[in-house]
Amino acid sequence: MKKIFMTLVAVCFAATMNAQVYVGGSLGFNAWSSQENAGDRSETTFKIMPEIGYNINDSWAIGTVIGYESNKWTGVNGVSESAFTVAPYARYTFAKCGKVNFFVDGGLDFTTAKDADWNEFAVGLKPGLSVALSDKVSFVSHIGFLGYDVFNPEGDKNNVSKFGLDLDGNNLTFGLYFNL
């Protein structure tokens, strides 16, 4: 029994020695406003999306984003909301070109805003690329979303669901990772 236990400990230790943990994430800030004839409104959005992941091997990694978003509007009775996001994923790196890696994240996103009483659930693929700036630092970008998204605001029978490929600026993110 001792030999089996020690063998399992040695296998676990060897597996973690070849794996690599990374931490990082992204920050976002967006502000817009319209003039009087267009409704005299404005919105300010702030996002912080920390991320942690674990490289299983050269091609596969698993990780999660746990983030916070704050929106404030003027011209709409001064409404504000805060949202919390959890987004676990599995990452497959399908091409490596020197210091640039091309990957796709497959995962689930769940976002909830308690005060505004809405939830959003998405499942799909997010293609991206990673550029190694050094042995310890990488620049990472996600470009688009292919999948299914359901937005559930408060009330009955007013869900919004969509399926498809979305390549607009709302699905473009930039971040930094630190390889530990």
Side-chain angles (χ1 to χ4, degrees), residues 1 9 24 43 48 62 66 111 114 149 172 175:
M1 187 66 160
V9 169
E43 178 184 5
I48 183 166
I62 56 172
I66 300 174
T111 303
K114 185 177 179 182
D149 189 337
L172 177 63

Side-chain angles (χ1 to χ4, degrees), residues 2 9 16 30 39 44 65 71 76 88 94 120-121 123 132 142 153 161 166-167 173 175 178-179:
K2 259 184 175 179
V9 169
T16 59
N30 181 27
T44 303
V65 174
N71 292 319
V76 190
F94 58 88
E120 185 171 13
F121 175 77
V123 59
H142 289 91
S161 57
D166 193 354
L167 292 175
T173 63
F178 298 96
N179 300 306

Side-chain angles (χ1 to χ4, degrees), residues 100-164:
V100 179
N101 294 334
F102 296 92
F103 63 85
V104 64
D105 288 351
L108 308 170
D109 291 7
F110 178 74
T111 303
T112 184
K114 185 177 179 182
D115 294 336
D117 195 21
W118 61 265
N119 297 312
E120 185 171 13
F121 175 77
V123 59
L125 303 173
K126 294 179 184 177
L129 65 96
S130 171
V131 179
L133 302 175
S134 71
D135 289 341
K136 295 289 185 183
V137 179
S138 297
F139 171 79
V140 178
S141 177
H142 289 91
I143 307 152
F145 176 76
L146 171 65
Y148 179 71
D149 189 337
V150 176
F151 179 72
N152 179 5
E154 66 178 286
D156 293 330
K157 298 183 182 180
N158 59 357
N159 291 351
V160 176
S161 57
K162 61 184 177 179
F163 175 80

Side-chain angles (χ1 to χ4, degrees), residues 24-30 45-51 65 68 140 172-176:
S26 60
L27 294 172
F29 177 78
N30 181 27
T45 303
F46 171 75
K47 288 183 182 183
I48 183 166
M49 301 297 212
E51 183 172 341
V65 174
Y68 171 80
V140 178
L172 177 63
T173 63
F174 301 102
L176 286 175

